[in-house]
Amino acid sequence: MFLKNRFFIALCAFMLLATACTQTQEIAQGPPAETAPRAAGPAKVTQIDDAKLKELLKPNGKPLLVNFWATWCGPCREEFPDLVRIDNEYYGKIDFITISLDYIEELETGVPKFLTEMNAQMPTYLLISEDENTVIASVAKNWSGGLPFTILYDPAGTPTFTHQGAITHTALKAEIEKALGE
């Protein structure tokens, strides 16, 4: 009888631990669902070229935040949950787009899969360029092409902030607050 009770207690403890670990893993995989101000849908990635990029980099009456990244870039992947959080916090106050520099083969596979895992809702584009150096120079004079790269434009289209490398939520939030005049 004693062995049966010990076995039963051990089994219950194991199941409780397994459930707790599963819940912890789910929480760690992305931002909490309750912070999302809009319903999640399937991740969509639109292919663009140099000309379309120039159009996208023109603000439409609000500050415009742009993040260049790639799924193969470790620092990009690390900062992405903070970008999703920024998108949720400033949705409607700023325009925010991400530009993936992944390979064309990832347009319908790797990039949408990553965005779905991150619960990302911001518009995402995959840039395929004929001349990467010209594009880099046209985006920002101080961008060497390293990823991730974040740029914030004021409503008139003037860059007010650029950052090459992973950026923290706190630092990016401070720059957005300045752009919004808050």
Side-chain angles (χ1 to χ4, degrees), residues 125-145:
Y125 302 90
L126 187 134
L127 176 64
I128 301 299
S129 176
E130 293 292 320
D131 183 1
E132 292 175 7
N133 291 326
T134 301
V135 169
I136 290 166
S138 73
V139 171
K141 302 294 182 225
N142 65 338
W143 184 22
S144 68

Side-chain angles (χ1 to χ4, degrees), residues 19-41:
T19 302
C21 289
T22 302
Q23 289 172 348
T24 302
Q25 184 179 17
E26 289 171 2
I27 290 169
Q29 287 179 353
E34 66 269 13
T35 62
R38 51 203 189 267

Side-chain angles (χ1 to χ4, degrees), residues 79-157:
E79 84 171 349
F80 219 88
D82 282 341
L83 297 177
V84 171
R85 188 170 160 200
I86 288 287
D87 182 48
N88 289 334
E89 291 172 357
Y90 292 97
Y91 179 70
K93 293 180 181 179
I94 66 169
D95 290 326
F96 179 26
I97 62 173
T98 65
I99 310 290
S100 171
L101 300 180
D102 277 283
Y103 303 106
I104 188 67
E105 296 82 18
E106 299 296 321
L107 179 65
E108 295 180 15
T109 56
V111 176
K113 179 181 180 216
F114 177 76
L115 294 170
T116 299
E117 289 170 0
M118 291 289 113
N119 297 321
Q121 297 295 306
M122 71 285 275
T124 299
Y125 302 90
L126 187 134
L127 176 64
I128 301 299
S129 176
E130 293 292 320
D131 183 1
E132 292 175 7
N133 291 326
T134 301
V135 169
I136 290 166
S138 73
V139 171
K141 302 294 182 225
N142 65 338
W143 184 22
S144 68
L147 294 178
F149 182 76
T150 305
I151 186 165
L152 179 64
Y153 297 90
D154 68 14

Side-chain angles (χ1 to χ4, degrees), residues 3-74:
L3 287 177
K4 282 186 182 179
N5 285 342
R6 266 181 80 183
F7 175 75
F8 180 75
I9 291 170
L11 180 61
C12 289
F14 174 77
M15 292 184 67
L16 181 62
L17 180 61
T19 302
C21 289
T22 302
Q23 289 172 348
T24 302
Q25 184 179 17
E26 289 171 2
I27 290 169
Q29 287 179 353
E34 66 269 13
T35 62
R38 51 203 189 267
K44 181 180 181 238
V45 182
T46 304
Q47 180 182 338
I48 59 170
D49 59 14
D50 302 1
K52 182 65 178 172
L53 176 64
K54 285 181 185 179
E55 289 176 34
L56 289 171
L57 296 182
K58 295 178 185 173
N60 193 15
K62 297 181 204 174
L64 172 65
L65 180 63
V66 183
N67 180 267
F68 291 85
W69 66 285
T71 58
W72 45 261
C73 165

